[in-house]
Amino acid sequence: MERMEWKNLNLDIREIYRRIGLPDADSERSLSFRPLIEQVRLKALELIDARCIFNYFPVKVTSAEEILLDNQFQVSAAAAFFEGAEEVMVAVQTIGVRLVEESARLFQEGEMLEGMILDGCGTVAVDDVLELMRGMVIERGRVRGLQTGYNLCPGGRQVPLEVQKTIFQLLDGSQIGVVLSDTMLMSPVKSHSLIIPLGKNLSKPNLSCAITCEMCSGQHTCPHSRLKFKKTRESEASV
């Protein structure tokens, strides 16, 4: 099992705007919040403890709706995403508890706007770590001649929430301060788990490092959807 930490996250301003429900960062209304968002963003960077643990395990497709992980765990999954995979990278990541606790304190003291922005910064930080980790997996796979598949997260359409239990049997989340409840939810809440298939001939390869919304069943109704607001990182870069 490997461990990584990140000290210099970006926390893109446009992503923070999107997470607090203001997708048009250049509108007059959004710009009026810019000084406070910048202030809270700097505060968030001091509170984030971004870290993850991960490891690689063999995988085998056993049916259209099941896979075998590490030659011992039979779990439900959309097997089409694992066809052609030789192994999977399984990871648990978190940004720690300090930002979450400070956001809760702000809400309790009536500082609703600052608390909401700080919480949004935390969510952006989780995505930043996902993208950094995914970039690492893609590069390692490239060196080994392997294609990389999609991020598959418990609770999504492709992998049921119950797979969390298997992930925490494969990885010791307590090493980075993450625990799993009886309801399969992680604490701290700004934590994430995922499975990424790797293989020489994946049926569904994906070499993008960007976190996308295409596979989420709530993509058209989510208030933060990049698809809904057409705010993918690719489109922003072309502006």
Side-chain angles (χ1 to χ4, degrees):
M1 185 165 61
E2 297 185 62
R3 173 172 175 161
M4 295 186 71
E5 298 183 1
W6 292 270
K7 301 296 185 183
N8 299 305
L9 300 183
N10 182 33
L11 301 189
D12 184 83
I13 286 289
R14 288 182 176 271
E15 285 296 286
I16 297 171
Y17 272 115
R18 185 175 65 84
R19 284 296 180 176
I20 64 174
L22 294 172
D24 187 357
D26 297 320
S27 70
E28 183 177 349
R29 180 191 178 199
S30 295
L31 288 173
S32 68
F33 291 99
R34 180 63 66 91
L36 179 59
I37 290 177
E38 289 280 9
Q39 175 185 331
V40 177
R41 174 181 172 275
L42 294 175
K43 181 177 185 177
L45 289 170
E46 295 179 355
L47 295 171
I48 291 168
D49 298 312
R51 52 193 183 272
C52 77
I53 52 171
F54 63 96
N55 209 345
Y56 294 82
F57 301 94
V59 65
K60 181 180 179 181
V61 172
T62 54
S63 75
E65 298 181 352
E66 285 189 329
I67 59 173
L68 183 67
L69 287 178
D70 197 30
N71 300 315
Q72 57 180 314
F73 296 105
Q74 193 81 38
V75 299
S76 299
F81 287 87
F82 296 88
E83 290 176 358
E86 302 166 22
E87 61 187 44
V88 292
M89 192 281 288
V90 180
V92 175
Q93 65 154 90
T94 186
I95 64 165
V97 299
R98 293 194 298 155
L99 182 145
V100 174
E101 291 175 347
E102 176 62 11
S103 178
R105 184 190 68 80
L106 290 168
F107 278 115
Q108 290 172 359
E109 295 185 357
E111 299 293 340
M112 301 299 183
L113 180 57
E114 187 174 347
M116 180 180 67
I117 296 171
L118 187 60
D119 182 77
C121 288
T123 304
V124 173
V126 172
D127 279 356
D128 281 354
V129 173
L130 277 171
E131 293 188 350
L132 289 167
M133 182 164 39
R134 181 171 177 81
M136 176 271 295
V137 175
I138 290 173
E139 178 58 23
R140 285 191 178 188
R142 184 192 65 77
V143 171
R144 298 169 58 204
L146 300 178
Q147 296 176 321
T148 303
Y150 286 83
N151 287 8
L152 302 172
C153 307
R157 290 190 301 166
Q158 290 75 34
V159 178
L161 185 61
E162 291 73 21
V163 177
Q164 288 277 56
K165 183 176 181 180
T166 301
I167 289 177
F168 276 77
Q169 288 176 298
L170 292 168
L171 300 175
D172 182 7
S174 66
Q175 289 194 13
I176 55 171
V178 180
V179 296
L180 189 67
S181 72
D182 293 338
T183 57
M184 301 298 145
L185 300 179
M186 290 177 288
S187 178
V189 295
K190 297 293 185 187
S191 301
H192 202 90
S193 63
L194 73 156
I195 300 171
I196 302 179
L198 295 106
K200 293 182 179 178
N201 295 290
L202 289 180
S203 61
K204 294 182 181 293
N206 181 358
L207 296 181
S208 171
C209 291
I211 304 302
T212 62
C213 303
E214 281 81 354
M215 293 191 299
C216 179
S217 58
Q219 61 184 256
H220 298 299
T221 56
C222 174
H224 308 297
S225 172
R226 291 177 173 86
L227 295 183
K228 179 178 179 182
F229 294 121
K230 301 184 184 302
K231 288 293 184 181
T232 61
R233 291 181 186 267
E234 290 86 352
S235 65
E236 288 173 1
S238 65
V239 174

